[in-house]
Amino acid sequence: MIAHEAGQGTTLILVHGFELDHRSMLPLESSLADSSWRRIYLDLPWTEQAVPGPVASAQDVADGVVNELRDRLGDEPFAIIGHSFGGMVARHVAHAMRSQVLGLATLGAVFTANHRKRVLPARAVISAALPDQAADDDFLEIAVIQTPGTLAAFNEFVLPGLRGTDQQVTGRIAADYALRQEPEAAHPEPFEAPSLHIFGRQDHVTGYEDGLALRDHYVRGTFAVLDAAGHHLYMERPAAVSVLMDDWLTSARAHAPALPR
């Protein structure tokens, strides 16, 4: 599953969203490149680089990530961040491997797997500044900030993963998209490592209300709902996301002495 590594230092795992690949997380490098974190970007089972296997559910994916990290990291402490579906996976990992997790961050994460049960804002476009016919439907259907800059980021980091997706694999997972049990229910004791949960106020894919409802579980949690931001909020509001992530990473590193030995 490990697709790309960068930097040196304490390990930070990055998990991408559904039907995408690790490249969709690379925009975060602009705020991580000078940090003392070793970034490990994962590719989930539907990506072009993935080794074919009998993955048939979201639970299979989440368990596979846990097994991969245990094999690669042993008992090494790490922090983890996930976007969308990857945020659901990151929550599972952080709870299953809590004893060595320095921190958890999610970006536009899936907190309610069943699409029909999500509390979602109405579809909205805050800024539309593109020439006619400048973007395809994949971008126009999801982007809240439709500018040349966000389109360029989408085309560079998101579109290649979409085009390379193994639809047979994603079809199987989509049919069994929920974890057997939500991580916060499976491990109900308060999550005490620093956590960061950033949402887009205009995110009509995963919303923000479902994540905010779990704020009492994350007793060291920062919850932020960014205006003028949709599902790809870290491409639409990169400066705000960078400030929040810097603060979270500082807290996560300071959490290391609190881990059980």
Side-chain angles (χ1 to χ4, degrees), residues 124-146:
V125 175
I126 301 300
S127 176
L130 291 172
D132 292 342
Q133 308 301 320
D136 63 22
D137 289 343
D138 288 321
F139 175 78
L140 296 175
E141 287 173 0
I142 202 166
V144 168
I145 305 298
Q146 299 180 359

Side-chain angles (χ1 to χ4, degrees), residues 25-46:
M25 301 295 282
L26 290 177
L28 297 175
E29 277 291 301
S30 61
S31 58
L32 294 173
D34 295 329
S35 72
S36 56
W37 290 84
R38 170 195 176 208
R39 284 92 64 197
I40 297 180
Y41 291 82
L42 303 187
D43 262 350
L44 297 180
W46 54 78

